[in-house]
Amino acid sequence: MARFFRPQSRDDFEIALICALPIERNAVEALLDEEYEVDGFSYGKAVGDPNAYATGRLGHQDVVLAYMPGIGAISAAAVAATLRSSFKSIKVGIVVGICGGVPTTTSGVEILLGDVIISTSVVQIDFGRQYPNKFVRKREVEDILGRADPEIRAVIGRAEGHLVRRRLKDKTSRFSTQICAEDGFSRSAYPGPANDILYPADYRHKHQMKSSCICDAYKDQDDDVCESALQSACEDLGCDSTLSLSAKRRRIQMAMGSAPDGSALTATAIHEAQKPFIHFGRMACGNQVMKSGQHRDWVAAEERVVGFEMESAGTWDYVPTIVIKSVCDYADSHKNKQWQEYAAATAAACTKAFLEEWRSEDRPILVRPERPPCPLSLIPFRRDRDFVERDVLNDIWQRACEPAARIGLVGLGGVGKTQLAIEYAYRRQEADPQTWVFWVHASSAARFEESYKKIAERVRLAGWNEPKADILGMVSGWLSDASNGRWAMVVDNADSRDVLFEPWNGGATTQTAFPAPSAPSSSTAHSLSDYLPSSTNGSIVITSRSREVVEGLIEYTEDILDVEPMTTEEAITLLTKKLKRQERGFPRDDLVRLVQQLDRMPLAITQAAAYINQRAPRVTVSKYLEGLQRSDTDRAKLLQQDIRDPRRDGQASNSIITTWHVSFHHIRQTRSSAARLLALMSLFDREAIPDHLLQARYLEQDSERESENEYDEDENGFEDDIMTLRSYSLVNIGMSDHLFDMHRLVQFSTKKWLELHGELACWQGRYISILDTAFPTGDYVNWTTCQGLFPHVEAVVSYTIAGDNYLRRRAATLYRGAWYAWANGRYEAAGQMARASLEGRERLVGRDDIQTLESVHMLAVVLQDQGKYEQAEQLNRRALAGREKELGENHPATLTSVSNLAVVLQNQGKYEQAEQLNRRALAGSEKELGENHPATLTSDYMEALRLYDRAVNGYVQVLGPSHPTTLACQRHRQLLLEDMT
């Protein structure tokens, strides 16, 4: 199977896809097999190129997706004119999207909505002379667009053949179905043949009933209709569907299940009839949308065109052009937008199918050889165009240029530490493109390790994706090697001493029978701070709320920079920039008063500006100030709950909370569903909140709603709620479009507000139910899922709620969380979760219940791997006794407890007792499970070298040579050999 590698530079791209509308480019993005510019990496663009680009792989092609600022040939020409300044090797530009279509070609071929048209040539129909009585298109050689490039004509000629056209049709159907399966693309599904309505060309789209508008005076095609009619759908105007010509169209009838002879079609035949057809022909291009059925038919007959669009004439002179567009309407006056998203999907699907056909014949697949990675940036945040220069940024820059520099940024939450670090990182990458720029999240050990894993992937460290890879050690070693080049790192949110300085036990001390753990290979427990190297070829910028943490990471106190609130002038500049939608200025006195009320804190200023922007011109700076003063009572109640960051100075103002409360109060009044979404999100770990755990999980039951208008439950409801929260800067897009982040103080404040209103326990219960459903067991096959959700499970430990159902779910979730944490060597977290799970189950179901014994067993294996053998022995004996009573002596779970107790006894030097238990476990496993079952093989490992050989061979055959259990047994065999010598 061919392997594909990301192009090394912009010059490796030869295909450009040009889209005008968001629905067009969204469909193309949904089909990308690989997106190249992620995690902060960017190919950049040429100086002076105003275009916006995305890059990726579509099928076998590396493609550039060029975003147009608007529709029409002028916008298209602006994009195409500078495209090659950045991507010099572009050979073809494919204009992808939706268009109007003629119902029937001059040769009698039917075109239906959703069919795709691939251009053989383009005619600019609005370029000519307008005389008093008619318009005459220019036809001189120097004025027409001319023939397509020879290579393009050859490719299109081949695609028109029966075999390729058939493959294009099948692939287009398959790829469009693939788009519909993506989140957010449910509207891209096939609307159905009954909605494919074609009216007679002379049937005008207007108010058909008396409406007290100029439509009542309409008599012929030259008469005007009202603006309201032009913007309304056919069903709203009363257009007579009985006049539709669709019943006479053969393909429509077949798509509805009726053969030309009137007989019923099979399901397979109906499915085939509903597939979009691929048409080849001349495309008409103009700067006006064709909205006249009669004019459409005249142009089609005069110019022999099959479709109408607005962009290709603009690109034609700058880059060889192909148009691949899908028919969303019949280029008449009737308005129906329900086909647009389906048409965008079929156009994108056909584009991918077309590129696969072109690639397979004209340019065979070439596997690029693996090359050493070029330095790139891994900055997970977009650059802030409204960034305001601050003196502290110059201090960062000067100190970061020194060898092995470490700079600390210390300040209150929301003061702008991370924004300064982001701007520094981008400037560092711009100043020296040969410098690696890395970003590490340090809010938790899980996030720290995940960041290092992304670095390992990007620099292509050998074995980085192995289950037992010592990721932290590998990356630290790579950073310490000067031959790997210069690098700069930002360690963000290093707020917790426990996270940075407490031992991080990434190694396994002993292996047990349930289940097989895997952890980094280092046998010595280090703190995460030990993995931040001091290398002459690198520098580190650390952001933190805690000076104590930074002092433990930085040697010289002069390299610790206090980030204070902005000066008044800086704050006013930021506020003015964020109020970008306001065409008129605001009185300076109002601006000064507002930034002073907000203590010149960047986060508070950004939130206030978002609030004002959304409601302008009715809400101004002065009215926002009035709102702050009017909500004194509510604000006082909130502040009495001590809703401040515990690491902040007790004398510090809580103005960020004040600003948030104003915004949240308005959201609650105007869109309560968004307020509910914020409440649920506040219970998650604040970073990387998955969207699939939020959608529909925060809504009220229908019976609880006070009115049907409270929330629109269609599929856009969640996106609208997220948009509301993002517009207030309460949540942000995370490292991918499917993850969200929240500011720490916003999250903390939300939970305090819920507590104040007696709603916190209810939301905690809902959150625990969500995680109980989503978080799987700690089995090796589930590690990818567990890794993404584990930080959110850690939050459950601190949630104590009433209600047996929720307590049972909490105990189950923490048990599985402890399992995963233990399997990955995170023993402190595993022990904390296992204890909480055990305590909960003892209260709910008693000491001897099977679920309680599971938690006893989990805590025992955690203590065992921590070297606390006496405690582990007591718990293992309890688990064994309970399982013998409840399950029987030879039940697999009982035998697992026998094996684990044997391991603990062996670790304490009680070899005879351990041997007896191992023999019992072996005999029981062979009887109940068979000789080659993993439990039987594990229980055998303490007896003798011969039996170890048998166990290892069995594991290789059953589980494979790389499975963690196989490797664990091999290590134990080696320990036995050492004991024998």
Side-chain angles (χ1 to χ4, degrees):
M1 183 177 180
R3 295 176 61 201
F4 299 94
F5 297 95
R6 185 170 64 188
Q8 293 299 304
S9 71
R10 298 195 301 264
D11 293 343
D12 291 333
F13 291 89
E14 298 180 353
I15 302 292
L17 307 181
I18 302 171
C19 300
L21 298 174
I23 59 171
E24 297 170 346
R25 53 183 177 256
N26 288 343
V28 173
E29 289 177 351
L31 274 183
L32 286 176
D33 297 285
E34 184 178 357
E35 184 182 0
Y36 290 151
E37 295 177 276
V38 295
D39 297 329
F41 168 75
S42 174
Y43 286 106
K45 59 182 180 180
V47 176
D49 183 356
N51 294 340
Y53 301 107
T55 57
R57 178 170 58 84
L58 191 63
H60 303 322
Q61 281 282 14
D62 299 321
V63 298
V64 180
L65 181 56
Y67 297 88
M68 288 177 51
I71 63 174
I74 294 176
S75 292
V79 169
T82 54
L83 174 64
R84 281 176 164 169
S85 66
S86 293
F87 297 88
K88 296 180 172 53
S89 301
I90 294 296
K91 292 184 177 179
V92 61
I94 302 179
V95 182
V96 183
I98 59 178
C99 67
V102 300
T104 307
T105 68
T106 54
S107 59
V109 177
E110 290 181 348
I111 296 180
L112 303 187
L113 299 183
D115 284 357
V116 181
I117 299 173
I118 299 178
S119 65
T120 56
S121 60
V122 174
V123 176
Q124 189 173 1
I125 59 174
D126 59 354
F127 186 56
R129 300 180 179 89
Q130 179 64 59
Y131 294 101
N133 62 329
K134 63 180 179 179
F135 174 82
V136 178
R137 183 172 72 84
K138 282 198 169 188
R139 300 179 182 273
E140 291 81 0
V141 173
E142 61 272 16
D143 295 324
I144 62 176
L145 296 178
R147 302 176 70 188
D149 179 271
E151 182 179 3
I152 292 178
R153 295 203 308 271
V155 172
I156 292 177
R158 174 180 176 272
E160 287 187 86
H162 171 73
L163 293 178
V164 177
R165 189 191 293 237
R166 179 67 193 182
R167 288 200 295 272
L168 287 176
K169 179 182 177 182
D170 291 340
K171 289 183 177 181
T172 297
S173 177
R174 185 169 74 252
F175 292 150
S176 63
T177 302
Q178 177 183 329
I179 292 176
C180 295
E182 296 287 331
D183 290 340
F185 285 87
S186 59
R187 292 183 182 271
S188 299
Y190 178 52
N195 293 309
D196 190 335
I197 300 175
L198 171 65
Y199 288 103
D202 59 353
Y203 184 61
R204 191 70 178 271
H205 183 75
K206 67 179 187 67
H207 287 102
Q208 305 299 333
M209 307 295 291
K210 291 280 185 186
S211 58
S212 301
C213 66
I214 60 174
C215 292
D216 294 341
Y218 175 85
K219 293 183 179 180
D220 58 46
Q221 292 291 321
D222 293 332
D223 291 339
D224 289 333
V225 299
C226 72
E227 184 65 26
S228 174
L230 295 177
Q231 301 301 322
S232 300
C234 287
E235 55 267 26
D236 298 328
L237 300 181
C239 292
D240 190 356
S241 59
T242 63
L243 298 177
S244 171
L245 304 177
S246 299
K248 301 177 182 178
R249 311 192 77 191
R250 183 181 61 85
R251 284 183 55 203
I252 290 288
Q253 295 307 305
M254 293 180 66
M256 297 182 73
S258 178
D261 60 2
S263 61
L265 293 177
T266 65
T268 301
I270 295 174
H271 176 71
E272 186 67 23
Q274 291 179 352
K275 289 181 179 180
F277 277 37
I278 312 301
H279 304 276
F280 294 82
R282 182 179 295 176
M283 186 70 76
C285 183
N287 274 312
Q288 296 176 331
V289 179
M290 178 64 72
K291 299 295 290 181
S292 166
Q294 291 179 311
H295 190 205
R296 171 202 67 203
D297 290 347
W298 180 85
V299 173
E302 183 75 11
E303 304 290 352
R304 302 182 68 83
V305 298
V306 295
F308 297 86
E309 58 92 44
M310 302 176 62
E311 284 78 38
S312 58
T315 65
W316 195 270
D317 284 340
Y318 297 101
V319 62
T321 299
I322 300 174
V323 181
I324 301 181
K325 293 201 172 186
S326 180
V327 179
C328 68
D329 59 52
Y330 287 116
D332 56 14
S333 61
H334 296 279
K335 189 178 183 65
N336 183 0
K337 290 191 174 184
Q338 70 180 126
W339 286 87
Q340 288 188 354
E341 290 180 73
Y342 173 69
T346 58
C350 186
T351 301
K352 181 173 181 177
F354 182 81
L355 288 179
E356 287 189 353
E357 291 296 331
W358 184 10
R359 182 76 171 206
S360 63
E361 176 167 307
D362 296 324
R363 280 191 282 150
I365 301 172
L366 298 177
V367 179
R368 301 183 183 93
E370 186 83 52
R371 299 186 219 173
C374 294
L376 50 78
S377 61
L378 292 175
I379 310 171
F381 305 104
R382 298 179 180 90
R383 195 172 189 175
D384 187 2
R385 297 184 217 173
D386 299 327
F387 180 80
V388 174
E389 288 291 335
R390 303 174 71 176
D391 291 340
V392 68
L393 185 59
N394 293 327
D395 295 335
I396 298 170
W397 189 264
Q398 292 175 5
R399 287 173 168 79
C401 293
E402 299 175 3
R406 284 199 184 189
I407 302 95
L409 305 182
V410 179
L412 303 173
V415 78
K417 302 182 299 295
T418 297
Q419 292 303 315
L420 285 164
I422 292 170
E423 183 64 21
Y424 158 75
Y426 276 106
R427 292 189 184 186
R428 184 64 183 268
Q429 196 273 334
E430 288 177 345
D432 186 0
Q434 295 305 309
T435 295
W436 294 88
V437 180
F438 301 123
W439 195 279
V440 175
H441 295 279
S443 58
S444 68
R447 298 286 289 168
F448 189 102
E449 185 180 20
E450 180 64 22
S451 299
Y452 263 47
K453 182 170 288 189
K454 290 185 180 298
I455 295 174
E457 179 184 5
R458 289 302 182 186
V459 302
R460 303 178 191 171
L461 289 180
W464 71 269
N465 57 348
E466 293 294 331
K468 298 181 299 174
D470 180 9
I471 292 294
L472 300 183
M474 292 166 62
V475 172
S476 181
W478 187 92
L479 294 171
S480 301
D481 187 348
S483 66
N484 291 318
R486 298 181 298 277
W487 55 266
M489 176 185 290
V490 174
V491 179
D492 192 29
N493 292 325
D495 300 330
S496 171
R497 180 178 181 83
D498 291 341
V499 170
L500 272 299
F501 301 123
E502 289 298 316
W504 183 87
N505 195 341
T509 55
T510 60
Q511 300 291 345
T512 58
F514 170 78
S518 176
S521 59
S522 174
S523 61
T524 303
H526 296 279
S527 67
L528 293 181
S529 62
D530 293 333
Y531 294 99
L532 296 173
S534 294
S535 175
T536 57
N537 58 310
S539 62
I540 300 177
V541 173
I542 302 164
T543 74
S544 178
R545 300 178 183 217
S546 171
R547 173 173 283 273
E548 179 186 9
V549 171
V550 174
E551 287 175 344
L553 295 170
I554 294 178
E555 182 177 0
Y556 302 106
T557 56
E558 58 265 30
D559 288 332
I560 300 176
L561 306 178
D562 290 312
V563 182
E564 303 291 346
M566 287 179 155
T567 66
T568 299
E569 289 304 316
E570 289 170 346
I572 291 174
T573 301
L574 178 62
L575 179 59
T576 304
K577 285 187 173 184
K578 293 297 182 182
L579 293 171
K580 58 186 70 175
R581 298 182 184 177
Q582 311 305 315
E583 296 181 358
R584 59 183 180 82
F586 293 101
R588 179 176 173 83
D589 288 347
D590 286 347
L591 298 178
V592 172
R593 287 172 56 211
L594 179 55
V595 298
Q596 289 177 344
Q597 284 282 327
L598 301 177
D599 278 349
R600 307 182 311 282
M601 297 285 285
L603 176 59
I605 293 169
T606 300
Q607 288 180 319
Y611 182 96
I612 295 170
N613 281 334
Q614 191 178 56
R615 289 158 185 78
R618 294 181 58 83
V619 173
T620 62
V621 171
S622 61
K623 286 188 176 181
Y624 186 86
L625 283 165
E626 292 174 6
L628 288 176
Q629 297 171 352
R630 188 169 55 248
S631 60
D632 280 349
T633 301
D634 288 342
R635 184 170 64 250
K637 291 180 180 179
L638 190 62
L639 295 179
Q640 286 173 359
Q641 297 299 310
D642 193 19
I643 50 175
R644 58 182 176 83
D645 191 312
R647 294 184 180 84
R648 293 179 61 195
D649 183 356
Q651 301 300 314
S653 170
N654 293 307
S655 60
I656 294 181
I657 299 174
T658 301
T659 304
W660 166 83
H661 182 65
V662 172
S663 300
F664 182 74
H665 178 76
H666 186 85
I667 293 171
R668 185 179 58 173
Q669 295 298 317
T670 60
R671 190 172 182 87
S672 62
S673 57
R676 293 176 62 84
L677 176 58
L678 181 65
L680 177 58
M681 294 180 74
S682 73
L683 279 301
F684 285 81
D685 182 83
R686 71 185 191 87
E687 294 179 322
I689 303 172
D691 59 3
H692 71 274
L693 295 187
L694 301 173
Q695 294 178 354
R697 309 295 181 91
Y698 61 96
L699 304 177
E700 293 181 348
Q701 299 298 323
D702 290 344
S703 60
E704 296 176 341
R705 297 187 195 167
E706 296 180 2
S707 70
E708 288 298 321
N709 294 328
E710 181 179 85
Y711 177 67
D712 182 13
E713 265 194 83
D714 66 17
E715 58 234 29
N716 290 325
F718 173 74
E719 296 300 331
D720 291 341
D721 290 336
I722 284 293
M723 180 190 69
T724 299
L725 298 182
R726 290 185 63 197
S727 70
Y728 286 90
S729 301
L730 295 174
V731 302
N732 300 308
I733 298 296
M735 296 188 69
S736 78
D737 292 341
H738 300 292
L739 300 175
F740 300 104
D741 294 340
M742 292 184 69
H743 292 291
R744 187 191 313 273
L745 191 56
V746 168
Q747 193 176 54
F748 180 59
S749 301
T750 305
K751 286 187 285 190
K752 283 297 181 181
W753 187 91
L754 293 173
E755 183 180 0
L756 177 65
H757 289 78
E759 299 177 13
L760 182 60
C762 175
W763 282 107
Q764 286 178 339
R766 182 174 294 210
Y767 174 72
I768 288 171
S769 297
I770 292 171
L771 281 187
D772 181 42
T773 301
F775 193 79
T777 64
D779 286 309
Y780 174 72
V781 295
N782 297 326
W783 282 9
T784 299
T785 301
C786 290
Q787 184 178 31
L789 296 180
F790 185 73
H792 306 299
V793 175
E794 285 184 292
V796 174
V797 177
S798 62
Y799 295 161
T800 55
I801 58 176
D804 288 353
N805 179 50
Y806 290 136
L807 289 174
R808 185 176 292 106
R809 285 177 171 267
R810 175 178 180 268
T813 303
L814 292 176
Y815 166 76
R816 295 193 296 273
W819 183 346
Y820 171 74
W822 165 76
N824 284 267
R826 304 177 187 180
Y827 300 124
E828 290 299 326
Q832 188 179 19
M833 291 181 177
R835 285 188 178 89
S837 174
L838 176 58
E839 292 170 1
R841 285 175 165 174
E842 285 180 336
R843 289 198 303 269
L844 286 170
V845 296
R847 288 177 54 85
D848 296 327
D849 187 84
I850 296 301
Q851 292 182 345
T852 304
L853 296 174
E854 287 180 347
S855 296
V856 171
H857 177 86
M858 178 54 63
L859 181 56
V861 296
V862 173
L863 293 172
Q864 177 181 322
D865 281 356
Q866 289 180 306
K868 301 175 182 179
Y869 300 124
E870 293 183 0
Q871 299 176 52
E873 179 182 349
Q874 293 176 4
L875 290 172
N876 272 314
R877 291 189 182 279
R878 174 184 168 185
L880 175 57
R883 286 175 167 176
E884 285 176 336
K885 178 180 177 182
E886 298 294 327
L887 302 175
E889 293 186 350
N890 288 328
H891 189 278
T894 305
L895 296 175
T896 298
S897 292
V898 172
S899 295
N900 284 346
L901 180 55
V903 173
V904 173
L905 293 173
Q906 159 126 358
N907 289 332
Q908 297 179 87
K910 302 175 182 180
Y911 299 115
E912 292 183 2
Q913 298 178 54
E915 181 179 356
Q916 293 175 3
L917 291 172
N918 272 312
R919 290 185 181 278
R920 172 187 167 184
L922 173 60
S925 297
E926 288 180 337
K927 178 180 178 181
E928 297 293 325
L929 304 174
E931 292 185 353
N932 285 328
H933 192 278
T936 304
L937 299 173
T938 301
S939 64
D940 191 40
Y941 75 96
M942 294 299 297
E943 286 199 347
L945 183 59
R946 179 181 61 82
L947 294 179
Y948 257 123
D949 289 336
R950 171 185 161 194
V952 171
N953 292 334
Y955 278 138
V956 170
Q957 293 177 7
V958 176
L959 302 177
S962 298
H963 193 278
T965 304
T966 305
L967 300 176
C969 191
Q970 290 173 338
R971 289 196 297 272
H972 290 163
R973 178 185 179 279
Q974 183 62 35
L975 288 174
L976 180 60
L977 286 173
E978 293 175 1
D979 289 340
M980 293 171 63
T981 57

